[in-house]
């Protein structure tokens, strides 16, 4: 079980009293600001204005049934508690799970579930009565739309419940204990029967060890193996035994009408279960030996085809353990398996043609292989991609698919229509920079088939595409019809400038469901019909949960940095900030890499969107009187292999332009601007403070500050530390701790398992700054990972940020000093 004791590596070596004070401060939420200030003993609350927004209900989510007759309105619980985060859990092989429930450590709990009839706009909402106790989560529709499934986590199991749309009632499927440690797949054998991954009936108690069986020994003799920096990995044979016990599941058939259930096949470490065609099952499972260097999803595995009784018909291929793979590369041999959702039941997988090495110069990097039912012959190659094959979407009128591949050297995406039977040459439908949002054609609309699988919908030889509609004026979502024979698109709908309206579904009769909102209207579901889809009928009438946010002013601000690269930010100003009134301001940003300046300045977001503030959003500072420059673009332009060579210079140029624009607009005081960011944004923040004097202070959350701790690449960096030592060293704010004199607030979850941002990153930067006379406050959030989700942690984080702004600048509503 996970322990609440902090590792010895985070204790200062200055005696028991100092160690105890450090641990108490870290566990309770903050460190003292000075040697004479006592540690905070309890979680702190933000201002009443922020607390009110935090505790307001979130906006509901919506899901349309496969038969397009029912709309589910799902209200999720907005906050978890620290007590929930503290539930006993195991951290093994790169996964964190609840051993008692055989499921994920955390789930998105459904607080309220209601059903609405799409055909009858005025029909009353039917609330599904969810019994008290446990945590209901993960709703799924049956293929025919007549039923839905729910999972419920209890203290001892993950249960499966079935609901009837007609009655809006649910009941448990007794005797079914799901095993969702490695996955929660459900395969629909018919409209009334499913196959699930379940806890084996004969699973005994978990192994218990009271002492280690011996030393842990690893050896690498001349093999190049550049592994990413990961946490929660297996450490020894005892870890292997515990992981194997909890991750082992069995296939179980379940009759939804009668509740009858039985195990099929033998137990295994299954992590994938899908229907192949109309009867076979494609499964993937882990096979030993395991690794202490990579997580479970990079272990050895085998893909197999099974019959409906769970018996293996054929082994499709063994995926090698991803150890010794080049940075940015892939394993050789079979990988990434798909099963056709169509009646042909064909199965597909990818094989590298470049030895898995992205630096190899070859005309094609991957090939797509196909094996037809009854799976006795030899597979055949059906397509080759110039870049790394990334996606395969089957068309419902197959055998055709949309295949996407990625060119790592150019950061380029190509999409092609491929005849999987070789009856026609592949045709390119998309060819653009990965960062070019303005040319994004959108996502194809899919349809759920009778076997529960989805395939791209084809109507009269055409596809439907739903896109964000990014443009220099902001996002305006659209619906396009793409005729496959001519590759021409026709725009059927686009959101107006006054409303942000996102298409959700195209009904069989041509009507359309959308989510419609504006700056003052919360998102609601609308049914559009008639000529040009101009007629609207509201299906939901959700109220504004936070009306106090409507008076906040929001503006898209566009400008250029010194070298002409276009930049932008969304300016949020408090209702009481008068035109021309300068206040201390906060800049929030996240760096992104681009290969050309034309895409670096593209705008995201829309002024017509309904403002909602996320739980730890820096926009909460607006409620305390500060103008916030949100999502300030921070592009770093250059060749992918060497883009970080000018990282510091480019973020400096970006920051200078951002500050100049805010001051020019008369909203910010140049001498009182604070910069902040999360994760890579925190890394950016520390670098700006270390290399410039542009900002008064900084707020860095869950960041990485010593790149020698991520020696085999980070973010977009493709070179290892030994190939680009000067870059790694210069981009490590830790190395400049003695020069970083602007005050910085460091916040980190003590259970951060994100690759490269372990808590030691903040621990070591704090020690370096404290030891060299820096100005630093370090807040450790118990049980939190890379993002913060407990109500107590969220409130405390925002309180720390607001207090830091006041402490380093001033109260924004007080008169400026003369």
């Amino acid at each position: 079980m996970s322990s609440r004791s902090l590792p010895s590596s985070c204790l200062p070596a200055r005696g028991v009293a100092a160690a105890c004070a450090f641990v108490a401060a870290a566990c309770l939420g903050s460190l003292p600001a000075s040697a004479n200030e006592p540690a905070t003993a309890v979680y702190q609350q933000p201002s009443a204005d922020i607390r009110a927004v935090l505790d307001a209900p979130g906006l509901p989510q919506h899901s349309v049934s496969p038969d397009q007759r029912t709309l589910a309105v799902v209200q999720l619980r907005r906050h978890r508690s620290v007590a929930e985060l503290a539930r006993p859990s195991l951290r093994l092989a790169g996964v964190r799970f609840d051993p008692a429930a055989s499921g994920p450590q955390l789930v998105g709990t459904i607080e309220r579930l209601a059903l609405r009839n799409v055909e009858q706009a005025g029909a009353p909402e039917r609330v599904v009565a969810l019994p008290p106790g446990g945590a209901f989560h993960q709703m799924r529709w049956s293929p025919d739309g007549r039923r839905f499934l729910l999972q419920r986590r209890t203290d001892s199991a993950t249960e499966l419940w079935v609901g009837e749309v007609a009655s809006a009632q649910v009941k448990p499927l007794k005797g079914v204990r799901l095993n969702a440690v490695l996955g929660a797949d459900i395969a629909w054998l018919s409209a009334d029967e499913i196959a699930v991954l379940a806890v084996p009936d004969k699973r005994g108690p978990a192994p218990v060890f009271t002492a280690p069986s011996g030393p842990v020994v690893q050896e690498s003799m001349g093999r190049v193996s550049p592994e990413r920096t990961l946490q929660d990995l297996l450490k020894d044979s005892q870890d292997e035994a515990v992981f194997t016990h909890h991750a082992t599941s069995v296939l179980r058939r379940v009759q939804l009408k009668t509740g009858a259930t039985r195990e099929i096949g033998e137990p295994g470490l299954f992590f994938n279960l899908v229907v192949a065609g109309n009867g076979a099952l494609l499964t993937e499972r882990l096979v030993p030996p395991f690794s202490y260097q990579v997580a479970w999803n990079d272990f050895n595995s085998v893909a197999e085809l099974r019959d409906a009784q769970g018996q293996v018909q054929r082994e499709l291929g063994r995926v090698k353990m991803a150890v010794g793979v080049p940075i940015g590369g892939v394993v050789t041999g079979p990988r990434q398996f798909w099963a056709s959702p169509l009646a042909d039941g064909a199965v597909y997988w990818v094989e590298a043609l470049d030895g898995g090495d992205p630096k190899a110069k070859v005309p094609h990097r991957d090939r797509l292989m196909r094996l037809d039912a009854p799976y006795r012959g030899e597979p055949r190659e059906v397509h080759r991609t110039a870049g790394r094959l990334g996606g395969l979407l089957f068309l419902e009128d197959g055998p055709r698919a949309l295949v996407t591949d990625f060119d790592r050297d150019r950061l380029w995406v190509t999409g092609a229509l491929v005849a999987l039977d070789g009856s026609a040459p592949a045709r390119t439908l998309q060819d653009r920079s990965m960062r070019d949002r303005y040319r994004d054609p959108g996502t194809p609309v899919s349809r759920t088939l009778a076997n529960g699988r989805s395939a791209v919908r084809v109507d009269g030889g055409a596809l439907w595409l739903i896109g964000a509609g990014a443009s220099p004026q902001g996002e305006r979502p659209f619906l396009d019809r793409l005729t496959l024979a001519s590759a021409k698109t026709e725009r059927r709908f686009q959101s107006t400038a006054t409303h942000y309206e996102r298409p959700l579904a195209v009904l069989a009769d041509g009507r359309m469901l959308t989510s419609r909102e504006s700056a003052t209207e919360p998102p609601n579901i609308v049914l559009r019909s008639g000529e040009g889809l101009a007629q609207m009928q509201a299906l939901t009438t959700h109220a504004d949960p936070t009306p106090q946010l409507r008076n906040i002013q929001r503006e898209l601000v566009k400008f250029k940095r010194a070298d002409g690269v276009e930049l932008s930010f969304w300016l949020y100003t408090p209702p009481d900030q008068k035109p021309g009134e300068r206040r201390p301001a906060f800049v929030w940003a996240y760096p992104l890499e681009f290969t050309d300046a034309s895409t670096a300045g593209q705008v995201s977001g829309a002024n017509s969107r309904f403002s909602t503030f996320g739980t730890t959003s820096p926009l909460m500072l607006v409620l305390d009187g500060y103008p916030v420059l949100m999502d300030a673009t921070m592009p770093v332009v250059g060749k992918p292999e060497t883009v970080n060579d000018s990282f510091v210079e480019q973020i400096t140029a970006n920051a200078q332009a951002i500050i100049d624009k805010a001051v020019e607009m008369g909203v910010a005081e140049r001498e009182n601007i604070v910069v902040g960011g999360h994760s890579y944004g925190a890394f950016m923040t520390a670098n700006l403070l270390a290399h410039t004097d542009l900002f008064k202070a900084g707020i860095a959350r869950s960041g990485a500050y010593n790149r020698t701790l991520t020696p085999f690449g980070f973010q977009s960096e493709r070179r290892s530390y030994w190939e680009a030592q000067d870059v790694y060293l210069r981009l490590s704010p830790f190395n400049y701790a003695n020069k970083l004199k602007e005050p910085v607030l460091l916040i980190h979850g003590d259970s951060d398992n994100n690759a490269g941002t372990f808590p030691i990153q903040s621990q070591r930067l704090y020690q370096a700054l404290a030891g060299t006379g820096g100005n630093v406050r370090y807040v450790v959030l118990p049980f939190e990972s890379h993002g913060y989700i407990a109500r107590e942690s969220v409130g405390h984080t925002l309180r720390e940020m607001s207090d830091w702004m006041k402490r380093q600048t001033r109260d924004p509503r007080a008169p400026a000093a003369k």
Side-chain angles (χ1 to χ4, degrees), residues 537-679:
Q537 193 172 25
L539 295 185
T540 63
T541 54
H542 304 311
D544 184 351
T546 52
Q548 61 268 49
L549 300 184
R550 290 326 120 216
N551 292 327
I552 291 173
Q553 302 300 308
R554 177 178 56 188
E555 177 185 358
L556 174 62
V557 180
K558 297 190 287 185
F559 51 101
K560 294 181 180 180
R561 74 184 190 191
D563 62 358
V565 174
E566 294 184 348
L567 305 177
S568 66
F569 56 73
W570 285 93
L571 174 62
Y572 288 74
T573 53
D576 62 350
Q577 185 173 3
K578 300 178 178 62
E581 177 191 357
R582 300 185 191 275
R583 291 186 179 185
F586 188 58
V587 176
W588 186 260
Y590 189 94
L592 288 175
E593 299 79 17
F594 297 85
T595 56
D596 64 273
S598 64
T599 55
Q602 290 189 353
V603 173
S604 62
N607 207 35
S608 56
R609 297 216 67 174
F610 183 76
S611 287
T612 55
F613 291 3
T615 52
T616 58
S617 171
L619 290 175
M620 293 289 187
L621 293 175
V622 179
L623 297 171
D624 283 350
Y626 295 98
V628 173
L629 284 59
M630 188 68 180
D631 295 330
T633 50
M634 192 64 62
V636 183
V637 184
K639 296 179 180 179
E641 288 291 340
T642 58
V643 66
N644 279 329
D645 291 0
S646 60
F647 181 89
V648 171
E649 289 77 9
Q650 294 202 53
I651 64 170
T652 299
N654 296 332
Q656 184 67 67
I658 291 166
I659 292 171
D660 290 345
K661 189 62 179 178
V663 172
E664 174 195 321
M665 294 178 67
V667 296
E669 299 169 346
R670 185 180 295 274
E671 69 280 6
N672 272 327
I673 299 179
V674 177
V675 64
H678 191 96
S679 192

Side-chain angles (χ1 to χ4, degrees), residues 151-171:
Q151 295 180 24
R152 184 171 80 158
R153 186 186 70 184
T154 69
D155 290 337
S156 59
T158 297
E159 304 168 344
L160 186 63
W161 289 59
V162 61
E164 300 289 337
V165 171
S167 64
Q169 295 181 344
V170 294
K171 65 179 181 180

Side-chain angles (χ1 to χ4, degrees), residues 14 33 736-744 765-777:
R14 294 196 179 181
Y736 299 86
N738 61 328
K739 298 179 181 179
L740 201 165
K741 298 306 180 184
E742 289 84 4
V744 59
L765 182 59
Y766 170 76
Q767 291 172 338
L769 292 170
T772 57
N775 300 289
V776 58
R777 181 177 176 88

Side-chain angles (χ1 to χ4, degrees), residues 391-583:
L392 181 66
L393 296 176
F394 296 95
L395 271 60
E396 65 179 0
D397 68 347
R400 296 190 293 177
L402 300 175
V403 179
T404 56
D405 67 284
F406 174 65
D407 185 333
R408 177 176 179 266
D409 294 334
R410 297 190 300 153
L411 298 182
W412 206 263
V413 177
T414 303
L417 177 65
V418 177
L420 297 173
D421 59 358
S423 60
R427 288 196 298 121
T428 299
L429 298 179
Q430 177 184 179
D431 190 47
R432 65 181 177 92
S433 166
M434 180 184 73
R435 300 292 194 200
D436 190 352
R437 301 180 69 253
Y438 293 176
R439 294 181 59 219
D440 187 345
T443 302
V445 174
S446 295
R447 193 194 318 261
T448 301
L449 307 180
N451 59 8
R453 301 284 306 284
S454 63
V456 175
R457 176 174 167 179
V458 182
D459 288 337
L463 311 182
W464 297 102
L465 300 170
I466 295 175
S471 73
Q473 289 73 44
E475 294 178 358
R476 293 177 57 187
F478 63 81
L479 173 71
D480 279 357
R481 180 179 172 87
L482 170 64
T483 301
L484 293 174
S486 63
K488 293 183 178 179
T489 59
E490 175 191 1
R491 184 136 301 177
R492 290 297 184 88
F493 171 82
Q494 184 158 23
S495 182
T496 66
T498 60
H499 285 75
Y500 183 92
E501 191 166 358
R502 179 170 52 90
L504 298 179
V506 181
L507 305 187
D509 58 7
R511 293 178 299 168
M512 180 177 67
L513 288 177
T514 69
S515 175
R516 179 180 168 87
E517 62 188 270
S518 73
T520 58
E521 305 167 73
N524 273 290
I525 304 304
V526 169
L527 178 62
R528 282 187 168 269
S529 60
E531 184 69 25
L533 298 172
Q535 298 177 17
M536 292 188 295
Q537 193 172 25
L539 295 185
T540 63
T541 54
H542 304 311
D544 184 351
T546 52
Q548 61 268 49
L549 300 184
R550 290 326 120 216
N551 292 327
I552 291 173
Q553 302 300 308
R554 177 178 56 188
E555 177 185 358
L556 174 62
V557 180
K558 297 190 287 185
F559 51 101
K560 294 181 180 180
R561 74 184 190 191
D563 62 358
V565 174
E566 294 184 348
L567 305 177
S568 66
F569 56 73
W570 285 93
L571 174 62
Y572 288 74
T573 53
D576 62 350
Q577 185 173 3
K578 300 178 178 62
E581 177 191 357
R582 300 185 191 275
R583 291 186 179 185

Side-chain angles (χ1 to χ4, degrees), residues 190-452:
S190 70
D192 298 318
E193 188 174 19
I194 59 175
V196 301
L197 300 179
V199 174
D201 285 338
K202 296 181 179 180
R203 184 173 80 172
V208 177
F209 302 97
T210 58
S213 57
V216 177
V217 179
Q218 298 188 68
E219 183 176 281
S220 182
M221 305 297 288
R223 180 182 65 178
V224 177
S225 188
E227 314 304 344
R228 298 179 70 201
T229 308
L230 299 173
Q231 197 153 274
D232 302 338
L233 301 181
L234 297 178
K235 298 182 292 294
D236 53 35
S237 59
Q238 295 179 356
D239 275 359
E240 290 189 45
V242 176
F243 172 72
T244 298
H245 171 85
H246 288 286
T248 296
S249 59
V250 69
L251 306 185
R252 179 177 284 274
R253 292 179 65 148
V254 183
Q255 287 279 352
L256 299 181
K257 277 187 176 181
T258 65
T261 175
R262 62 186 175 90
E263 291 184 355
I264 57 175
E266 297 298 319
L269 291 164
F270 294 105
F271 63 90
N272 189 25
L273 168 66
V274 296
V275 173
N278 292 322
L281 295 171
L282 169 62
T283 62
E284 293 183 77
R285 59 184 176 89
L286 305 178
V287 292
F290 301 145
S291 170
Y292 302 166
Q293 296 175 272
V294 297
W296 72 267
N297 52 327
D298 282 329
F299 286 179
N300 295 301
S301 64
V302 59
E304 296 163 321
L305 276 165
R306 299 170 182 264
D307 60 23
Q309 305 308 315
Q311 300 304 309
V312 177
Q313 294 178 283
R314 174 166 174 166
E315 179 180 304
L316 295 174
R318 290 185 173 254
V319 181
K320 299 176 183 177
M321 185 180 297
V323 174
V325 175
I327 297 174
V330 296
V331 297
T332 57
R335 72 176 201 278
Q336 204 169 352
F337 290 82
W338 292 274
S340 169
L342 308 181
D344 62 7
V347 291
Y348 300 83
W349 62 87
V350 187
E351 295 179 357
L353 295 171
D354 59 359
D357 185 355
K359 293 185 178 180
K361 303 299 181 184
V362 294
H364 297 95
R365 296 214 173 272
D366 280 336
R367 65 175 182 173
L368 182 65
M369 305 297 293
R370 170 175 173 157
L371 179 67
D372 291 302
Y375 317 117
R376 299 192 185 97
E378 292 299 315
R380 69 181 191 275
E381 179 182 314
V382 294
H383 183 60
R384 290 191 172 198
T385 57
R388 191 69 70 202
L389 196 152
L392 181 66
L393 296 176
F394 296 95
L395 271 60
E396 65 179 0
D397 68 347
R400 296 190 293 177
L402 300 175
V403 179
T404 56
D405 67 284
F406 174 65
D407 185 333
R408 177 176 179 266
D409 294 334
R410 297 190 300 153
L411 298 182
W412 206 263
V413 177
T414 303
L417 177 65
V418 177
L420 297 173
D421 59 358
S423 60
R427 288 196 298 121
T428 299
L429 298 179
Q430 177 184 179
D431 190 47
R432 65 181 177 92
S433 166
M434 180 184 73
R435 300 292 194 200
D436 190 352
R437 301 180 69 253
Y438 293 176
R439 294 181 59 219
D440 187 345
T443 302
V445 174
S446 295
R447 193 194 318 261
T448 301
L449 307 180
N451 59 8

Side-chain angles (χ1 to χ4, degrees), residues 671-691:
E671 69 280 6
N672 272 327
I673 299 179
V674 177
V675 64
H678 191 96
S679 192
Y680 206 53
F683 167 75
M684 169 210 72
T685 296
N687 267 299
L688 284 169
L689 298 182
H691 295 285

